[in-house]
Protein backbone atom coordinates (compact mmCIF):
# COMPACT_ATOMS: atom_id res chain seq x y z
CA UNK A 1 0.00 0.00 0.00
CA UNK A 2 1.08 3.58 -0.60
CA UNK A 3 0.73 6.34 2.01
CA UNK A 4 1.16 10.07 1.40
CA UNK A 5 1.97 12.31 4.36
CA UNK A 6 1.40 16.09 4.16
CA UNK A 7 3.07 17.99 6.98
CA UNK A 8 5.58 20.82 7.24
CA UNK A 9 7.40 19.28 10.23
CA UNK A 10 10.44 17.16 9.35
CA UNK A 11 10.31 15.44 12.74
CA UNK A 12 6.76 14.22 12.04
CA UNK A 13 7.92 13.00 8.63
CA UNK A 14 10.66 10.96 10.31
CA UNK A 15 8.18 9.32 12.69
CA UNK A 16 5.68 8.73 9.87
CA UNK A 17 8.29 7.03 7.65
CA UNK A 18 9.22 4.62 10.44
CA UNK A 19 5.57 3.80 11.22
CA UNK A 20 4.73 3.39 7.53
CA UNK A 21 7.59 0.96 6.97
CA UNK A 22 6.55 -0.97 10.09
CA UNK A 23 3.14 -1.44 8.45
CA UNK A 24 4.90 -2.64 5.30
CA UNK A 25 3.65 0.32 3.27
CA UNK A 26 5.51 2.65 0.92
CA UNK A 27 5.81 6.22 2.30
CA UNK A 28 5.59 9.35 0.15
CA UNK A 29 6.23 12.81 1.59
CA UNK A 30 4.83 16.28 0.86
CA UNK A 31 5.93 19.28 2.91
CA UNK A 32 3.95 21.93 1.03
CA UNK A 33 0.70 22.23 -0.89
CA UNK A 34 2.75 22.48 -4.11
CA UNK A 35 4.40 19.12 -3.42
CA UNK A 36 1.07 17.61 -2.36
CA UNK A 37 -0.69 18.76 -5.53
CA UNK A 38 2.15 17.48 -7.69
CA UNK A 39 2.17 14.05 -6.07
CA UNK A 40 -1.62 13.59 -6.11
CA UNK A 41 -2.19 14.85 -9.64
CA UNK A 42 -3.02 11.68 -11.54
CA UNK A 43 -1.66 9.25 -8.92
CA UNK A 44 -3.63 7.09 -6.53
CA UNK A 45 -2.53 6.72 -2.91
CA UNK A 46 -4.17 4.17 -0.64
CA UNK A 47 -3.95 6.40 2.43
CA UNK A 48 -3.41 10.16 2.62
CA UNK A 49 -2.43 11.82 5.91
CA UNK A 50 -3.21 15.55 6.24
CA UNK A 51 -2.11 18.18 8.70
CA UNK A 52 -3.97 21.48 9.00
CA UNK A 53 -1.38 24.04 10.08
CA UNK A 54 1.43 24.18 7.54
CA UNK A 55 4.27 26.42 8.73
CA UNK A 56 1.79 28.37 10.82
CA UNK A 57 0.30 29.74 7.58
CA UNK A 58 3.57 31.51 6.73
CA UNK A 59 4.93 29.34 3.91
CA UNK A 60 4.56 31.26 0.68
CA UNK A 61 3.58 29.07 -2.22
CA UNK A 62 2.71 29.50 -5.88
CA UNK A 63 -0.57 27.82 -4.87
CA UNK A 64 -3.40 30.31 -4.36
CA UNK A 65 -5.55 29.30 -1.43
CA UNK A 66 -9.26 29.84 -0.85
CA UNK A 67 -8.57 33.42 0.29
CA UNK A 68 -6.52 34.31 -2.78
CA UNK A 69 -3.17 34.34 -0.95
CA UNK A 70 -0.12 32.12 -1.10
CA UNK A 71 -0.65 30.95 2.47
CA UNK A 72 -1.63 27.35 2.79
CA UNK A 73 -3.27 24.94 5.19
CA UNK A 74 -4.91 21.54 5.26
CA UNK A 75 -8.32 22.93 4.28
CA UNK A 76 -6.82 23.70 0.89
CA UNK A 77 -5.39 20.17 0.68
CA UNK A 78 -8.83 18.73 1.49
CA UNK A 79 -10.40 20.91 -1.20
CA UNK A 80 -7.78 19.75 -3.69
CA UNK A 81 -8.60 16.11 -2.88
CA UNK A 82 -12.32 16.82 -3.13
CA UNK A 83 -12.02 17.91 -6.77
CA UNK A 84 -9.78 15.06 -7.90
CA UNK A 85 -11.26 12.50 -10.27
CA UNK A 86 -12.80 9.60 -8.36
CA UNK A 87 -10.25 7.10 -9.68
CA UNK A 88 -7.45 9.04 -7.96
CA UNK A 89 -9.09 9.41 -4.57
CA UNK A 90 -7.39 7.72 -1.66
CA UNK A 91 -9.19 4.85 0.00
CA UNK A 92 -8.64 6.46 3.39
CA UNK A 93 -7.82 9.96 4.67
CA UNK A 94 -6.25 10.45 8.09
CA UNK A 95 -6.37 14.00 9.47
CA UNK A 96 -3.58 14.13 12.05
CA UNK A 97 -3.77 17.80 13.05
CA UNK A 98 -3.46 19.23 16.57
CA UNK A 99 -5.90 21.94 15.42
CA UNK A 100 -9.41 20.59 16.19
CA UNK A 101 -11.37 23.31 14.38
CA UNK A 102 -9.15 23.03 11.30
CA UNK A 103 -9.50 19.25 11.33
CA UNK A 104 -13.30 19.58 11.57
CA UNK A 105 -13.38 21.88 8.52
CA UNK A 106 -11.21 19.45 6.56
CA UNK A 107 -13.44 16.52 7.51
CA UNK A 108 -16.58 18.41 6.47
CA UNK A 109 -15.12 19.20 3.04
CA UNK A 110 -14.15 15.58 2.47
CA UNK A 111 -17.50 14.22 3.69
CA UNK A 112 -19.38 16.65 1.44
CA UNK A 113 -17.30 15.39 -1.49
CA UNK A 114 -18.32 11.80 -0.73
CA UNK A 115 -15.26 10.45 1.08
CA UNK A 116 -16.29 7.57 3.33
CA UNK A 117 -13.20 6.53 5.26
CA UNK A 118 -11.99 9.61 7.15
CA UNK A 119 -10.14 9.29 10.44
CA UNK A 120 -9.43 12.32 12.63
CA UNK A 121 -6.70 11.60 15.16
CA UNK A 122 -4.09 13.92 16.58
CA UNK A 123 -0.48 13.10 15.82
CA UNK A 124 0.72 11.18 18.88
CA UNK A 125 2.13 13.81 21.24
CA UNK A 126 4.21 11.44 23.37
CA UNK A 127 5.93 9.99 20.30
CA UNK A 128 6.46 13.51 18.94
CA UNK A 129 7.98 14.95 22.11
CA UNK A 130 10.09 11.84 22.73
CA UNK A 131 11.58 12.34 19.27
CA UNK A 132 11.95 16.09 19.85
CA UNK A 133 13.86 15.35 23.07
CA UNK A 134 16.11 12.97 21.15
CA UNK A 135 16.76 15.65 18.50
CA UNK A 136 17.61 18.13 21.29
CA UNK A 137 20.04 15.67 22.90
CA UNK A 138 21.67 15.05 19.50
CA UNK A 139 22.04 18.79 18.95
CA UNK A 140 19.76 18.74 15.91
CA UNK A 141 17.85 21.88 14.98
CA UNK A 142 14.07 22.10 15.19
CA UNK A 143 12.18 25.40 15.23
CA UNK A 144 9.83 24.10 17.95
CA UNK A 145 12.78 23.77 20.37
CA UNK A 146 12.91 27.58 20.54
CA UNK A 147 9.42 27.62 22.08
CA UNK A 148 9.00 24.34 23.96
CA UNK A 149 11.06 22.24 26.34
CA UNK A 150 10.25 18.65 25.32
CA UNK A 151 11.12 17.39 28.82
CA UNK A 152 8.38 19.58 30.30
CA UNK A 153 5.83 18.55 27.68
CA UNK A 154 6.60 14.87 28.27
CA UNK A 155 6.29 15.37 32.02
CA UNK A 156 2.87 17.02 31.51
CA UNK A 157 1.84 14.11 29.28
CA UNK A 158 2.72 11.66 32.08
CA UNK A 159 5.91 10.34 30.53
CA UNK A 160 8.09 8.85 33.29
CA UNK A 161 11.49 8.41 31.61
CA UNK A 162 12.52 12.06 31.28
CA UNK A 163 16.31 12.34 31.45
Amino acid sequence: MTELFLDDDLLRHEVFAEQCKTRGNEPFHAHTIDEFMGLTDGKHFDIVHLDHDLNDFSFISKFTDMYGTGEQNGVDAARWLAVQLPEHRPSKVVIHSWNPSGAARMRAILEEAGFNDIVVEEFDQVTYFERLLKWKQEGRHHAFLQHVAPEEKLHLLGWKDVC
Side-chain angles (χ1 to χ4, degrees):
M1 291 179 61
T2 57
E3 295 188 50
L4 174 59
F5 189 76
L6 172 63
D7 202 300
D8 61 315
D9 188 331
L10 294 176
L11 189 150
R12 284 184 174 192
H13 277 276
E14 186 177 289
V15 172
F16 164 74
E18 291 171 4
Q19 293 172 343
C20 193
K21 289 178 181 175
T22 299
R23 293 188 290 271
N25 294 342
E26 183 179 5
F28 290 82
H29 301 270
H31 304 88
T32 67
I33 293 287
D34 297 322
E35 289 177 0
F36 180 75
M37 291 170 66
L39 285 168
T40 56
D41 189 19
K43 179 168 175 48
H44 172 78
F45 289 94
D46 297 299
I47 304 170
V48 171
H49 302 258
L50 300 176
D51 186 25
H52 181 272
D53 300 334
L54 300 173
N55 280 332
D56 296 323
F57 307 97
S58 62
F59 182 89
I60 301 302
S61 168
K62 63 184 175 187
F63 172 75
T64 301
D65 72 359
M66 61 189 174
Y67 303 109
T69 69
E71 296 174 348
Q72 52 182 284
N73 64 56
V75 171
D76 301 306
R79 287 195 172 153
W80 172 254
L81 281 180
V83 301
Q84 292 300 294
L85 298 174
E87 62 267 17
H88 298 303
R89 286 187 172 186
S91 306
K92 180 178 186 175
V93 176
V94 178
I95 300 169
H96 64 267
S97 180
W98 287 344
N99 180 332
S101 61
R105 287 194 310 273
M106 293 165 65
R107 181 183 197 119
I109 289 166
L110 295 169
E111 286 176 341
E112 185 176 307
F115 283 77
N116 295 319
D117 195 357
I118 305 165
V119 176
V120 177
E121 60 185 18
E122 288 186 354
F123 197 89
D124 180 50
Q125 290 190 41
V126 171
T127 300
Y128 183 82
F129 288 110
E130 284 175 345
R131 184 61 55 93
L132 189 61
L133 178 61
K134 181 179 176 188
W135 276 30
K136 180 179 180 181
Q137 291 168 342
E138 293 171 352
R140 293 175 69 184
H141 172 72
H142 190 286
F144 207 34
L145 285 172
Q146 298 172 17
H147 309 287
V148 171
E151 306 88 346
E152 292 176 22
K153 286 294 279 184
L154 285 166
H155 179 73
L156 292 171
L157 292 167
W159 195 64
K160 307 295 182 213
D161 297 328
V162 176
C163 301

